[in-house]
Amino acid sequence: MDPIIDKEMAYSAYNYHPLPVVISRGKGVYLWDNAGNRYIDMMSAYSAVSHGHGHPRLLAALEKQAKNSCVLSRAFHSDRMAPFLEKICKMSNMDMALPMNTGAEAVETAIKAARMWGYQVKKIPHNKAKIIVATGNFHGRTTTIVGASSDEEYRKDFGPFTPGFIKIPFGNAKALEKAITPEVCAFLVEPIQGEAGIIIPPAGWLKQVQKICKKNNVLLILDEIQSGLGRTGKMFAFEHEIKKPDCLILGKALGGGILPSSMFLAKKEVMRLFTPGSHGSTFGGNPLAAAVGMEALNVLVEENLVENSKKQGQYLLEGLRAIDSPLIKDVRGIGLMIGVEIKPEYASARQVCEKLVEKGILTKETHETVVRFAPPLIVTKNILDQVIDLFDEALVELQFSI
Ligand SMILES: *Cc1c(COP(=O)(O)O)cnc(C)c1O
């Protein structure tokens, strides 16, 4: 065992179970371990590194801004924040934005905004507002958010939880309609569930959901922290079905794979309810994150990364589906958000990921059975050909070692 891993076991909380590899460097879609071995990154830090590691334009933006100002707090105006917010609002069809740092904070912001709107606009009796969420959701790790989770692993021993959430099955519009009462202010949902195992809802679901929300005066809040910014072959996953939601949550790739940067976006009617003192974050909207985020958005557009995600995603999906292995139960995905479900009687997804490390591919399972394929959006056909071949080899070796 690498001494770094021993040291980590000694000093770090054991809240993750990483693969036994110590990375010291990354460039583009590649990562190198501390022995100099090269790997293809099929994980992109849970979609945070959509631009690839160390994108030269993002590093340049980082360096340039770092010399000017990095963190100001919101006590003063920075010359970087407003242009960044304008850009992301125009790209997403949203009216206004509130910048935060991590995904969970942006989700918390959405929850506060939805409740505020519920009381002030929808006139829900005080402290009665409810938010509907989907089973299998992943919205982050704060106590309120894990309270809204259906996953025991995320919740165990962290209660008591914030009340006011109703859980319904994912991808089921009828269940949404049935769950709505006059006290419901919002439906908070991922358009495609990432952590649950790349779960794609039935076609037409989101369109129907929007209709139901409109009819019942319920805010549709989409958590696109993972699915947004090109990951699914559209700039935002909602574009596959609708023009825009009422509110949108972004994170992960918004920081260009360099910094934590997240955002809650909404129509005016919602965002205007925030007043000075009602919400905030010391680092939210800091000029360094704004400058890097702005360049991250420019790169997405100017380097056609959304198009590439669609094209390479299709290629990878077809390539993975063409693998003839008894270990594979299902291959599903959209754009470069792809999951391969492994039959548990043969191997766990974790065992497959460990085998892939030997083959020079780094990725991580979601839950017990799904191997994730979510490379940086800059990935090329040539690299994907290698990934498909190496994955095929890994499955064959696993099959004959069982
Ligand atoms: C990762 C993720 C979050 C949480 O983001 P953090 O930055 O880890 O707090 C929330 N929602 C979705 C859909 C995510 O994938």
Side-chain angles (χ1 to χ4, degrees):
M1 189 73 85
D2 191 296
I4 283 285
I5 295 177
D6 291 337
K7 195 174 291 207
E8 188 171 314
M9 292 303 280
Y11 288 102
S12 168
Y14 189 54
N15 59 330
Y16 279 89
H17 181 39
L19 290 162
V21 54
V22 180
I23 301 300
S24 55
R25 191 162 67 86
K27 185 80 200 151
V29 299
Y30 293 113
L31 290 168
W32 285 265
D33 68 16
N34 53 2
N37 300 305
R38 192 181 79 175
Y39 302 88
I40 302 170
D41 181 6
M42 293 305 282
M43 179 69 198
S44 330
Y46 300 89
S47 291
V49 187
S50 282
H51 301 75
H53 299 275
H55 193 291
R57 281 181 61 179
L58 299 184
L59 291 182
L62 177 78
E63 192 182 356
K64 184 167 169 234
Q65 184 57 37
K67 288 174 179 160
N68 290 331
S69 67
C70 293
V71 178
L72 289 174
S73 82
R74 297 285 301 277
F76 320 112
H77 297 278
S78 99
D79 59 358
R80 308 307 315 182
M81 191 184 83
F84 177 45
L85 301 192
E86 178 190 32
K87 174 104 187 162
I88 189 65
C89 283
K90 291 203 161 145
M91 282 171 70
S92 61
N93 255 316
M94 294 283 113
D95 297 329
M96 299 172 86
L98 198 167
M100 298 295 282
N101 312 286
T102 63
E105 288 173 304
V107 172
E108 288 277 351
T109 307
I111 292 167
K112 286 169 85 171
R115 287 178 172 179
M116 210 163 40
W117 177 87
Y119 300 127
Q120 295 183 25
V121 178
K122 192 169 174 176
K123 307 292 181 195
I124 295 170
H126 210 63
N127 283 335
K128 294 287 185 205
K130 306 255 184 322
I131 295 174
I132 300 176
V133 296
T135 52
N137 73 69
F138 184 80
H139 298 297
R141 300 290 198 162
T142 65
T143 40
T144 289
I145 294 171
V146 297
S149 167
S150 57
D151 194 321
E152 237 347 82
E153 189 188 13
Y154 300 157
R155 295 162 53 92
K156 191 177 168 295
D157 290 338
F158 297 132
F161 297 116
T162 313
F165 293 98
I166 300 168
K167 290 165 211 171
I168 61 163
F170 180 68
N172 186 331
K174 276 224 173 71
L176 173 66
E177 194 151 34
K178 259 176 74 186
I180 293 176
T181 67
E183 292 178 346
V184 169
C185 58
F187 180 39
L188 165 64
V189 73
E190 300 152 85
I192 291 162
Q193 287 189 329
E195 293 319 292
I198 322 287
I199 310 294
I200 299 170
W205 166 77
L206 188 58
K207 201 175 237 169
Q208 239 181 318
V209 159
Q210 177 158 63
K211 231 185 248 165
I212 293 165
C213 286
K214 277 210 165 100
K215 194 175 92 188
N216 292 282
N217 197 25
V218 165
L219 295 175
L220 173 58
I221 306 176
L222 294 183
D223 179 349
E224 291 231 30
I225 290 170
Q226 189 162 151
S227 62
L229 301 176
R231 177 54 55 189
T232 71
K234 297 264 190 197
M235 187 56 82
F236 304 100
F238 70 73
E239 291 174 79
H240 291 286
E241 293 211 352
I242 63 172
K243 261 186 117 132
K244 60 173 174 181
D246 298 303
C247 311
L248 178 66
I249 309 168
L250 299 176
K252 294 199 165 116
L254 191 62
I258 295 180
L259 294 160
S261 176
S262 68
M263 204 166 278
F264 171 66
L265 300 108
K267 56 183 182 182
K268 275 196 189 104
E269 180 190 307
V270 175
M271 200 67 92
R272 285 259 158 91
L273 301 174
F274 282 106
T275 51
S278 61
H279 194 51
S281 157
T282 304
F283 289 92
N286 70 76
L288 192 63
V292 171
M294 182 74 151
E295 191 66 349
L297 297 176
N298 288 334
V299 167
L300 272 182
V301 173
E302 287 161 28
E303 298 190 357
N304 299 313
L305 296 188
V306 183
E307 268 303 297
N308 197 55
S309 169
K310 183 178 171 186
K311 189 171 125 198
Q312 306 302 347
Q314 202 124 36
Y315 186 76
L316 179 57
L317 192 67
E318 280 164 20
L320 292 170
R321 282 194 173 143
I323 295 174
D324 181 21
S325 167
L327 277 70
I328 295 180
K329 183 173 176 197
D330 187 27
V331 180
R332 54 180 178 259
I334 181 163
L336 284 168
M337 191 168 178
I338 295 175
V340 176
E341 191 169 344
I342 304 295
K343 285 187 195 150
E345 61 268 33
Y346 282 100
S348 67
R350 170 86 187 185
Q351 285 173 302
V352 176
C353 291
E354 283 168 358
K355 181 55 95 178
L356 285 173
V357 174
E358 292 170 29
K359 294 279 165 197
I361 293 175
L362 291 183
T363 191
K364 190 76 163 60
E365 74 279 7
T366 86
H367 286 86
E368 274 80 54
T369 55
V370 180
V371 178
R372 175 187 340 235
F373 289 84
L377 307 185
I378 57 169
V379 76
T380 60
K381 176 173 173 293
N382 179 34
I383 291 170
L384 292 178
D385 281 331
Q386 294 171 49
V387 169
I388 293 161
D389 286 348
L390 291 167
F391 182 54
D392 196 350
E393 276 176 40
L395 292 180
V396 170
E397 283 175 30
L398 269 172
Q399 185 185 344
F400 291 104
S401 68
I402 297 161

